[in-house]
Amino acid sequence: MAFEKKLIGQQEVVPGPVEPGQLPEPTEITCIEVVKVYDACSQRLCLDNIPPITFVPTGLNPSFGRCKNISVSLVTTPGFVITPLKDRPGFARLQATFQVMYDIVISYPDGSTQVLPGNTTTFSKDIVLYVPEPSAATIKYEATAECLFGKVNIGLTDTVEVILGVWIIIKSALDVQLLVPSYGFCPVAPACVP
């Protein structure tokens, strides 16, 4: 590691792994402002009920290429709806709708491609998490998506079918001030190695 060591009493302290029983006594108690995560859950979803997308081929014998520019976002209105549970103090029901936006790439035998941009689908979450102060809580999420399957159907109407996979983590958090044992400020970083 490139961190400079800091001498605390007779021991050197540096960020990184610590052997049990090898921590020096803190030099102070510090008040820090952090986002404290109270509860979280994760889930893998398979969005396999997306209606086929109609398109007009730009060449002969189209086939599914790939999905690109995939993003997951919270539908802004109303966002997360937080409903405290009367029979479970501190817990709340969280409801939200998410949108997955993606582009589909159609491939042709001659090497050309056709992009079908701006396709969307939605999914909803209805979960229970520990949310100690619903009025002040911040509900956060992290989500990624990928294309699991794609198929072009040629007929009277040409369509493409896709199945998307989503990995989502939802957290209840609050901005808080915590008292923590401290060794003071970090030492000045050393010069970078070119």
Side-chain angles (χ1 to χ4, degrees):
M1 291 188 178
F3 289 106
E4 288 286 328
K5 294 180 179 176
K6 182 174 183 177
L7 191 62
I8 304 290
Q10 299 297 317
Q11 284 184 279
E12 291 182 333
V13 177
V14 65
V18 178
E19 294 294 323
Q22 297 300 311
L23 285 176
E25 289 297 316
T27 57
E28 64 183 355
I29 301 293
T30 303
C31 180
I32 61 170
E33 189 174 342
V34 296
V35 176
K36 182 175 179 180
V37 176
Y38 284 89
D39 200 0
C41 66
S42 64
Q43 186 176 20
R44 294 180 196 268
L45 304 167
C46 182
L47 305 179
D48 58 0
N49 60 351
I50 301 169
I53 298 156
T54 302
F55 75 103
V56 177
T58 58
L60 298 175
N61 300 319
S63 63
F64 178 79
R66 63 188 173 99
C67 296
K68 66 176 191 174
N69 301 328
I70 304 174
S71 64
V72 181
S73 59
L74 185 62
V75 175
T76 54
T77 307
F80 280 97
V81 176
I82 304 172
T83 308
L85 299 177
K86 292 179 179 150
D87 59 337
R88 292 180 70 188
F91 286 83
R93 178 182 185 186
L94 305 177
Q95 297 169 288
T97 300
F98 295 86
Q99 175 178 275
V100 182
M101 183 173 274
Y102 57 100
D103 299 340
I104 296 173
V105 178
I106 304 295
S107 298
Y108 293 93
D110 65 1
S112 64
T113 59
Q114 176 183 4
V115 178
L116 309 177
N119 301 288
T120 61
T121 189
T122 59
F123 66 93
S124 295
K125 297 304 309 158
D126 189 349
I127 61 171
V128 173
L129 284 181
Y130 179 67
V131 184
E133 295 180 45
S135 60
T138 300
I139 306 302
K140 299 176 175 282
Y141 74 94
E142 299 169 32
T144 59
E146 64 181 328
C147 206
L148 301 176
F149 171 81
K151 176 184 170 190
V152 171
N153 301 308
I154 304 298
L156 246 27
T157 304
D158 298 328
T159 61
V160 62
E161 299 175 47
V162 296
I163 296 175
L164 300 175
V166 176
W167 168 256
I168 188 164
I169 300 171
I170 301 174
K171 306 172 187 179
S172 72
L174 288 171
D175 290 325
V176 298
Q177 293 182 31
L178 292 179
L179 288 175
V180 295
S182 170
Y183 299 104
F185 292 101
C186 295
V188 175
C192 295
V193 176

